Amino acid sequence: QVQLVESGGGLVQAGGSLRLSCAASGSIFSINAMGWYRQAPGKQRELVATITSGGTTSYADSVKGRFTISRDNAKNTVYLQMNSLKPEDTAVYYCNADIRPAPQALRYRNWGQGTQVTVSS
């Protein structure tokens, strides 16, 4: 069984910064892509950023230049550095990871429980 545990959310003023972390643990043979999504009240979950096992990144247009995704493969952890935060960034942020639990096993997408980010104006 695999667990993804997020941390680092909280309340911050507009223009401030937060750093989210998401650590994967349990039965892990390999991790492919990792990413962050967010869901604001009354809205659908949307992609924020992704990173491949080789370090290739992609971002939603709304966060380009402000957010940076990174990962530490030795720690099975993905990070999201969020700078110049805006009130519209307020949402629950979820991490995910495509994990193969054993050498011959299928790869599955796993999700964290979410962490609240609130940006006040």
Side-chain angles (χ1 to χ4, degrees):
Q1 194 167 353
V2 174
Q3 270 194 319
L4 297 181
V5 179
E6 297 131 336
S7 60
L11 174 64
V12 64
Q13 287 190 332
S17 299
L18 283 174
R19 189 191 194 210
L20 305 183
S21 299
C22 173
S25 63
S27 299
I28 298 172
F29 173 73
S30 64
I31 302 178
N32 192 14
M34 303 181 83
W36 290 93
Y37 283 68
R38 66 187 181 186
Q39 187 167 18
K43 295 188 177 181
Q44 289 191 332
R45 190 174 296 190
E46 63 175 0
L47 174 67
V48 175
T50 63
I51 184 167
T52 68
S53 57
T56 300
T57 60
S58 64
Y59 297 91
D61 288 342
S62 59
V63 306
K64 280 181 182 177
R66 300 188 298 121
F67 290 11
T68 302
I69 189 171
S70 61
R71 63 190 284 172
D72 184 332
N73 291 331
K75 295 182 179 180
N76 292 332
T77 300
V78 63
Y79 305 96
L80 186 68
Q81 177 66 44
M82 305 185 293
N83 299 329
S84 302
L85 282 161
K86 304 175 181 180
E88 51 263 43
D89 294 319
T90 296
V92 177
Y93 284 70
Y94 299 89
C95 69
N96 68 20
D98 293 342
I99 296 174
R100 192 184 304 278
Q104 303 302 322
L106 294 175
R107 191 170 62 218
Y108 291 96
R109 174 155 293 184
N110 298 266
W111 290 87
Q113 80 286 354
T115 186
Q116 177 70 47
V117 172
T118 302
V119 184
S120 63
S121 56

